[in-house]
């Protein structure tokens, strides 16, 4: 039976880099799960790569057919943005191990849907000042930077990843991104290898 490895972390903690690095590691042989979102596509993103980009009608179709495994809705500066994992045939634990990015709510929902024994989680942490620098650098690369939304996400993370919520979700596996991203990636690879090899 395969596992789902869930990478979590506050905005700009380095989790996207860790996620991409884990996917490239052929010895781990992790399959990618592509989430859905109703948010606008960012510069450089491709449909089906970072996310499946859909609209509210697409979201409602999945919801009405009871195909949503987990979901999050954010009231952003630009309206409601939904992110969700759909039961669309991507995940078959009989055929291997899967890698996802998500939140604490994702972790709880995945445990409920697939069973806690089938979920391995890693929380990536980083210094708040460093995260803010990384977020600003990333936003400046956008054709139309959304600094207000960047700040909203940064502040929302304080509540979303509070100690009470970490305890509620049962977060135990934390890796600090306090050196280089390569060091953090190596720690994540070693941790996952202990569970799936």
């Amino acid at each position: 039976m395969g596992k789902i490895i869930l990478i979590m972390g506050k905005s700009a903690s380095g989790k996207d880099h860790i996620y991409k690095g884990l996917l490239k590691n052929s010895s781990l042989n992790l399959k990618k799960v592509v989430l859905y979102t109703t948010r606008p596509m960012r510069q450089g993103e491709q449909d089906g790569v970072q996310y499946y980009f859909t609209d509210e009608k697409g979201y409602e179709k999945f919801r009405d057919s009871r195909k949503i495994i987990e979901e999050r809705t954010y009231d952003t500066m630009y309206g409601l943005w939904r992110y969700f994992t759909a039961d669309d045939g991507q995940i078959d634990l009989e055929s291997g191990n899967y890698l996802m990015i998500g939140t604490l709510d994702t972790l709880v929902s995945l445990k409920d849907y697939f069973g806690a024994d089938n979920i391995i989680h890693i929380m990536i942490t980083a210094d708040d000042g460093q995260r803010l620098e990384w977020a600003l650098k990333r936003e400046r690369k956008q054709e139309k930077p959304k600094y207000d939304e960047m700040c909203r996400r940064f502040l929302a993370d304080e509540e979303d990843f509070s100690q009470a919520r970490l305890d509620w979700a049962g977060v135990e596996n934390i890796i600090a991104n306090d050196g280089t991203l390569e060091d953090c990636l190596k720690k994540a690879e070693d941790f996952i290898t202990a569970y799936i090899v």
Side-chain angles (χ1 to χ4, degrees):
M1 179 73 91
K3 305 285 187 189
I4 296 173
I5 295 95
L6 179 67
I7 306 299
M8 303 173 295
K10 294 178 179 179
S11 178
S13 61
K15 64 185 179 295
D16 291 335
H17 182 86
I18 301 305
Y19 173 83
K20 290 173 187 173
L22 292 171
L23 281 176
K24 288 180 184 175
N25 184 332
S26 59
S27 66
L28 294 176
N29 195 28
L30 300 173
K31 299 176 183 182
K32 179 179 179 179
V33 177
V34 180
L35 306 181
Y36 290 77
T37 186
T38 62
R39 79 153 166 77
M41 194 182 298
R42 290 180 184 149
Q43 185 177 339
E45 289 182 326
Q46 295 176 318
D47 189 43
V49 178
Q50 292 82 10
Y51 294 97
Y52 287 119
F53 292 91
T54 188
D55 57 15
E56 193 67 16
K57 287 183 182 179
Y59 161 78
E60 290 170 0
K61 184 176 178 182
F62 278 111
R63 185 196 62 201
D64 293 346
S65 61
R66 298 184 180 199
K67 294 283 189 181
I68 294 181
I69 296 171
E70 63 84 26
E71 67 178 299
R72 293 146 278 148
T73 302
Y74 299 103
D75 189 4
T76 75
M77 306 300 268
Y78 302 92
L80 293 179
W81 290 355
R82 300 185 192 277
Y83 295 80
F84 60 96
T85 305
D87 188 353
D88 60 358
Q90 287 187 76
I91 302 172
D92 175 11
L93 294 181
E94 297 296 329
S95 70
N97 299 301
Y98 294 82
L99 184 64
M100 294 177 64
I101 290 182
T103 65
L104 301 180
D105 294 291
T106 306
L107 175 59
V108 171
S109 294
L110 289 175
K111 286 178 180 179
D112 289 345
Y113 198 88
F114 293 102
D117 291 344
N118 296 316
I119 310 301
I120 300 168
H121 68 274
I122 299 174
M123 172 83 174
I124 305 296
T125 62
D127 172 76
D128 286 344
Q130 183 63 69
R131 287 192 314 106
L132 196 52
E133 284 182 33
W134 288 333
L136 187 57
K137 183 178 178 181
R138 178 179 66 190
E139 202 59 39
R140 282 184 172 144
K141 293 179 181 177
Q142 300 300 310
E143 186 176 316
K144 294 183 179 178
K146 295 180 171 75
Y147 297 117
D148 50 358
E149 177 56 22
M150 180 197 80
C151 292
R152 185 207 62 80
R153 283 195 315 266
F154 190 85
L155 295 173
D157 280 342
E158 293 309 302
E159 183 178 333
D160 293 345
F161 290 93
S162 68
Q163 188 60 54
R165 285 186 47 78
L166 292 172
D167 294 342
W168 163 76
V171 173
E172 299 171 344
N173 312 317
I174 298 172
I175 297 176
N177 183 7
D178 56 5
T180 66
L181 279 170
E182 288 69 31
D183 291 339
C184 188
L185 175 59
K186 179 71 167 78
K187 290 175 187 175
E189 289 170 337
D190 291 345
F191 179 81
I192 292 168
T193 298
Y195 278 92
I196 67 172
V197 176

